[in-house]
Amino acid sequence: MPNIRPISDLRNYTEVLHEVTEDAPVFLTKNGRGRYAIVDIDDYEKARATIRLMNELAKGRRSGETEGWLTLEEVEANLGLTLE
């Protein structure tokens, strides 16, 4: 169950911050609508890393579609994994 609080609860911000844990953000509402999320720093860093990874995968896919795909042998050679 998500933890949803009105933004006015930030008057007592220490209590609100104690409710924020990893995998359990606190969502703040303003005028009855979702407005902000307070997340654990580890969750924030994981989300950023996931976004970066997804962007790199998308770049690789676009490159493969426009410039052609590499064969397994070419990938191994580029990574220095060729077994002789």
Side-chain angles (χ1 to χ4, degrees), residues 11-82:
R11 289 185 197 119
N12 221 353
Y13 67 90
T14 306
E15 179 184 321
V16 173
L17 293 179
H18 278 92
E19 294 179 21
V20 177
T21 61
E22 194 168 343
D23 296 325
V26 173
F27 299 99
L28 301 174
T29 61
K30 185 174 182 181
N31 298 325
R33 297 185 182 270
R35 183 75 173 144
Y36 304 102
I38 303 174
V39 297
D40 180 82
I41 193 71
D42 291 333
D43 287 339
Y44 174 78
E45 290 172 352
K46 286 177 195 174
R48 296 281 301 176
T50 300
I51 291 168
R52 284 194 301 272
L53 175 61
M54 296 304 290
N55 284 334
E56 289 301 314
L57 290 172
K59 279 199 288 190
R61 183 179 185 98
R62 282 191 303 273
S63 173
E65 290 169 350
T66 59
E67 298 173 26
W69 299 97
L70 299 177
T71 65
L72 177 58
E73 292 78 19
E74 292 170 322
V75 171
E76 289 174 341
N78 285 341
L79 296 175
L81 300 175
T82 54

